[in-house]
Amino acid sequence: MGDPGKGILRFLPESASVRLSPGDTVLAHAIRSLSPEDLRAGIRLACRCLPLEGEVAVTVLPESRPARLSAYIEGKEMAEDGPFLPLHVVPRKGIPLGAALDAGTSTLAGALIDLRNGSVLARTAADNPQMACGEDLISRIVFGEENPDGFPLLRNLLLTGIEQVISGLVRSSSVEGEIVEVSAAGNTVISHILYGLSPSPVRRPPHRPVLKEYPVKTGKDLGIVSAPSARFRIFPSIGGFVGGDIVSGILASGMHREEAVTLLYDVGTNGEVVLGNREFRIACSSSAGPAFEGGEVACGMRAYPGAIESVRIDPVRLTAEWTVIGGGKPAGVCGSGILDLCAELFRAGLIDRAGRFVPRGRAPFRETDRGTAFVVVRAERSATGADIVFTASDLKSVVRTKAALCAAADALLRAVGLPRDKVERVCIAGGFGNFLDLRSAQTLGVFPPFPMKKFVLLGNASLAGAIGAIRNRKRWEEACTLCSSTDYHDLSSDQGFMELYQRALFIPHTDAESYRGNPLPETAT
């Protein structure tokens, strides 16, 4: 998997500025774009650096961190909390605090709660340092298996990130106290690593985790220095890659309490889908890939300053018009921009229904080493001094991602024998959902063709559910029962899934009749 130092630079956003530690050496290009003062301070552009030897320690400068922090720390709580019943008995002396954590594949988010009254004192988020060893979960498992002390390294990186989040919460809080309770919601792989277990069995059939429920441990037991006496409650996993973050999301959505059937999507670096209500629930994990978070795309990046967040194609000139997070020149395209771009290219007839480019008129296409590419931004208008392009290979990644998400939902509906019209609500969780243009998503067929009025954007439902569990012990008890009362549907053993996936590889879908409400370009073939 390569040197961890190189990985740190590789997974930083295209426009990220970093400060090197004294003595670290890198091969740096395009240094003329930095001031002499920056150069003397050891600041370099991450996208133009290559470590020469060993590990390289870098500090991501504040201006290069996620621009929309609220997307990672805010989430809707659709279920009622009920009375305030904290997990911890409030002592007569001292102020007890609780920390809720969302341990995501790419982002670690947290909230600090006053256990005297349930108020949220602070929220913060940070990148998951494990991204240095792989952008997706499979890559990290492979890293752990193929490198000496790979899993211990992954665990140390995760603990470093969690310490950073907890320390940030404490610094931001106006109330001084002791953290005595922590609820942590993470996917199966992250939860295993945090608990000190190898997640390798999850990677191979029958994809069974070592544990589905994690007995309570103290921060000291887990190696959390900033909260040594706190009791850590890790949300249970449902099965396979469907972990505690989805259990927490179910809590926040309230679907487990309602008669109405809900379809819950958690769209992030990975994609999980849950279908059900208070009578039944069935969940699966779709190998969607990180395309909607800027991964697997040549000029993709996360939602940082300098990322193109929305795109429109001029119908006459067939050129892209865009908006950039933070303003200024763009350095790449984040997930919402990628989705917009593909939908606009399709509407303009520059992509056909099979997901292939259709160069026509004056549209700015050119050939690259990754195939035909649409030029989104010319070099003179970009922050990198090079064209920002969207290639044929990028397009295939996006189509595969959207097909996996759409087919996963249809597979669950087929497994329980429910038609689409029985679904009354479609909840979209995850940071990506906050930026999502549903019109673009439906144009491409990311989701089955549900009416727009059925969609609800939840934001970070995983963190919202973890906060609810800290505030009310009955919510934590609900989480523990959800693990056993929600069925895990293994798509790899679903004989009909591949057919559904193949049909969803077209835009919006091969089933044109059911997608008739989706806008199709007149020139599409």
Side-chain angles (χ1 to χ4, degrees), residues 263-274:
L263 187 64
L264 170 66
Y265 276 93
D266 190 295
V267 185
T269 308
N270 307 287
E272 291 85 23
V273 187
V274 186

Side-chain angles (χ1 to χ4, degrees), residues 354-419:
R356 299 170 300 201
F357 280 132
V358 183
R360 67 182 185 87
R362 295 177 293 173
F365 284 96
R366 69 176 177 84
E367 293 301 316
T368 71
D369 56 0
R370 291 167 61 97
T372 302
F374 179 82
V375 179
V376 184
V377 182
R378 295 289 186 188
E380 61 271 17
R381 300 184 65 190
S382 79
T384 62
D387 287 347
I388 296 176
V389 298
F390 186 72
T391 71
S393 144
D394 300 334
L395 178 57
K396 288 181 180 178
S397 293
V398 172
V399 172
R400 286 195 298 265
T401 297
K402 81 92 184 174
L405 289 171
C406 182
D410 280 335
L412 293 184
L413 287 165
R414 177 183 285 185
V416 298
L418 274 181

